[in-house]
Amino acid sequence: MAELKYDDNGRLIFTEEMRKEYTILVPQMAPFHFEYLVDAFNSEGYNAELLRTTDYELIHEGMKYSHNDICVPAMLVIGQFIDAIKKKGIDKHKVALIITQTGGGCRASNYIALLRKALKKAQLDFVPVISLNANGFEENPGFKLSPRLFHKLHEGIVFGDLMMGLVHQTRPYEKEKGAVNALKATIDEELKEYFNHRKLFTWKKSKKRIQDIIRRFSALDLDKTPKPKVGIVGEIYVKFSPLGNNHLEETLEKEGVQVVVPPLYDFFLYSFDSRAHDIRRYGGPRKERLVLKALLWYIEVRRGKVRKLMRKAGFETPISYKALKSLIDGFIDVGTHTGEGWLLTAEMVDLIKHDAPNIVCTQPFGCLPNHIAGKGMFKKLKKRFPHSNIVAIDYDTSASEINQVNRINLMVSNAFRNFEKGNSQ
Ligand code: SF4
């Protein structure tokens, strides 16, 4: 068994030996993306496993091992981890956990400390926790964010955003029930092999795969009678995670609308850009700012090419990051970047301007930054766009699901009424 080693601060580290023997558990956040991120890890020699659980016991574990005042996403992630370690039938002494650390001003940067505290309380403090970040925090000899892994993670997010866009634009219109999910499952399987690659992905290789995916979605038999579009925005975890938002996408699609979810990549670009903004405004390493700007440019060039391929096949595409950022003029300052910050406001303006004036703004209970950039903007948005139809839904481990569904249904019935009146299309 791998020996437990600690750094100078007493942090349990993930060693080279552990890399060979341990299973790394990954919490589910964004179902369209995290499958590919786990494929990317596994193709680089890790043994990573995505947790897909959403049951009540997990929430209970989160409440048991964390303070009831902490952010809902932290409580759910902690609950999902501890529940998995206790139930999965895996050797607890051969399991590690991985969690993102944003390095931003919000509590998300401290989830890792809360997780370690919870593990200690659950008498599982021999389980190493790996911080996934681009800032060089908490190094571990057994885990390296190598350029190739970084590039694969980038591809994973690009493919996740692509699949999310294609699925959302086809599933509500499929003639054969289940055809879109079946196609997605087949492509997900094929992509496992795609990520298992020793070289960096060239655009030529990516393009071929993307064209093939788009072609297969274009070939689906659809009834394109238009439906109202409902956008989902909010705090990053509850916006994407079915565990965090009580399967919101599914609830909305069952109500007969088309769901529109802004790309996950915009959040990462916003995070890089926010750091570059802080360096410019408050000082910091110039080199780091240049690297961040170069990264933003590179990612946008790649995303622009994917958007072009999608548009060519008749699919709608998100707007560029630059165009998205310009939408906040007159609403909120670019310096507001705690939590989702200005990005949340920009996404709402974008949805309203692009035929999805019906919006669910998901808010973890007690999340201050997103209440300011989300709910705090509603009055201004309503004034500027009187036809907008936005509802804020609080997500809390003890919130009434009936209450959430009732509020969503009310928004959806307004969406249908406006749609029939021709306001939204
Ligand atoms: S954005 Fe909200 S939920 Fe996320 S860490 Fe900050 S306060 Fe918590």
Side-chain angles (χ1 to χ4, degrees):
M1 202 196 310
E3 187 194 341
L4 299 187
K5 290 187 181 159
Y6 297 83
D7 71 3
D8 295 344
N9 298 317
R11 173 178 64 87
L12 177 60
I13 53 174
F14 185 75
T15 61
E16 281 283 4
E17 223 182 335
M18 288 171 176
R19 178 188 172 131
K20 291 177 209 130
E21 295 176 10
Y22 278 43
T23 302
I24 302 174
L25 301 182
V26 182
Q28 177 61 291
M29 187 187 87
F32 282 101
H33 307 78
F34 274 40
E35 296 280 345
Y36 307 145
L37 302 189
V38 167
D39 290 344
F41 283 129
N42 289 337
S43 71
E44 289 296 302
Y46 297 98
N47 180 21
E49 193 181 322
L50 185 62
L51 300 174
R52 298 181 180 83
T53 40
T54 56
D55 50 282
Y56 179 75
E57 283 111 89
L58 163 177
I59 299 171
H60 185 71
E61 295 288 2
M63 288 162 84
K64 191 166 151 195
Y65 294 109
S66 52
H67 195 277
N68 60 5
D69 223 14
I70 70 160
C71 308
V72 171
M75 198 182 284
L76 293 175
V77 169
I78 289 170
Q80 192 172 43
F81 275 140
I82 294 184
D83 177 71
I85 299 171
K86 285 185 178 175
K87 279 212 225 119
K88 270 189 95 51
I90 43 176
D91 184 349
K92 306 185 166 79
H93 293 275
K94 285 196 176 169
V95 74
L97 313 176
I98 191 164
I99 188 165
T100 51
Q101 222 182 339
T102 60
C106 217
R107 288 186 274 183
S109 283
N110 298 317
Y111 283 8
I112 196 160
L114 297 170
L115 174 59
R116 289 199 176 106
K117 198 171 167 209
L119 288 171
K120 194 168 179 192
K121 205 169 159 192
Q123 300 183 333
L124 293 167
D125 49 354
F126 48 83
V127 175
V129 182
I130 303 164
S131 164
L132 180 63
N133 67 79
N135 306 312
F137 303 148
E138 297 202 352
E139 292 190 1
N140 288 286
F143 184 83
K144 293 259 177 311
L145 199 51
S146 65
R148 195 173 57 210
L149 176 57
F150 197 81
H151 196 257
K152 286 183 177 183
L153 295 177
H154 150 76
E155 284 277 306
I157 302 170
V158 169
F159 274 86
D161 281 337
L162 168 73
M163 291 295 280
M164 184 170 77
L166 295 172
V167 167
H168 286 160
Q169 288 178 59
T170 50
R171 195 165 54 196
Y173 305 99
E174 63 187 4
K175 285 190 184 164
E176 188 196 334
K177 195 96 197 92
V180 172
N181 283 348
L183 176 59
K184 180 183 178 298
T186 311
I187 293 172
D188 285 354
E189 256 330 288
E190 293 168 5
L191 283 177
K192 281 192 196 333
E193 196 43 49
Y194 174 75
F195 282 103
N196 204 1
H197 200 269
R198 305 304 296 168
K199 291 185 199 149
L200 286 183
F201 295 114
T202 58
W203 169 242
K204 201 173 155 200
K205 187 173 161 73
S206 304
K207 184 180 174 187
K208 212 166 142 215
R209 187 58 68 130
I210 290 166
Q211 278 176 321
D212 174 63
I213 293 172
I214 294 175
R215 183 189 52 73
R216 286 154 82 182
F217 272 89
S218 301
L220 286 163
D221 194 11
L222 306 175
D223 170 6
K224 284 298 270 183
T225 310
K227 293 172 183 249
K229 291 178 188 160
V230 176
I232 301 178
V233 296
E235 186 277 335
I236 193 82
Y237 184 85
V238 291
K239 171 182 168 187
F240 285 102
S241 163
L243 169 63
N245 62 31
N246 289 334
H247 304 269
L248 179 60
E249 265 183 34
E250 211 181 308
T251 306
L252 288 169
E253 283 190 0
K254 272 190 196 147
E255 291 300 321
V257 300
Q258 179 187 324
V259 169
V260 185
V261 184
L264 176 62
Y265 228 145
D266 283 337
F267 179 77
F268 289 101
L269 296 183
Y270 152 84
S271 303
F272 299 151
D273 196 20
S274 297
R275 173 72 188 135
H277 169 271
D278 282 350
I279 293 174
R280 188 175 60 82
R281 192 171 275 188
Y282 309 114
R286 193 167 167 266
K287 198 172 154 202
E288 186 186 342
R289 183 168 172 262
L290 292 177
V291 170
L292 288 164
K293 286 283 172 197
L295 206 57
L296 269 164
W297 173 83
Y298 172 77
I299 295 167
E300 263 309 81
V301 168
R302 275 266 170 128
R303 293 206 319 161
K305 288 178 180 175
V306 179
R307 286 195 291 265
K308 210 166 157 192
L309 293 176
M310 283 179 81
R311 275 198 299 272
K312 207 169 150 197
F315 288 101
E316 287 169 6
T317 58
I319 57 174
S320 70
Y321 176 74
K322 196 173 163 202
L324 187 66
K325 193 174 171 183
S326 72
L327 295 177
I328 58 166
D329 272 358
F331 284 97
I332 193 166
D333 189 76
V334 282
T336 316
H337 50 62
T338 303
E340 275 57 34
W342 64 257
L343 179 70
L344 177 46
T345 312
E347 286 178 345
M348 289 194 282
V349 177
D350 178 32
L351 286 164
I352 297 169
K353 285 191 165 183
H354 293 96
D355 295 336
N358 316 293
I359 297 170
V360 181
C361 185
T362 60
Q363 316 258 5
F365 181 74
C367 168
L368 186 63
N370 288 307
H371 273 71
I372 292 165
K375 219 170 176 174
M377 288 291 132
F378 287 6
K379 204 170 158 192
K380 222 168 186 179
L381 287 166
K382 191 73 190 168
K383 202 170 164 200
R384 181 82 69 87
F385 307 106
H387 68 296
S388 60
N389 171 30
I390 313 174
V391 63
I393 305 290
D394 277 337
Y395 288 94
D396 183 8
T397 44
S398 54
S400 151
E401 197 179 336
I402 302 286
N403 198 8
Q404 291 167 351
V405 172
N406 283 345
R407 285 171 61 75
I408 291 166
N409 285 350
L410 186 65
M411 183 277 299
V412 169
S413 61
N414 285 336
F416 271 101
R417 208 176 37 238
N418 292 340
F419 183 71
E420 272 147 29
K421 276 200 280 181
N423 277 346
S424 59
Q425 294 290 317

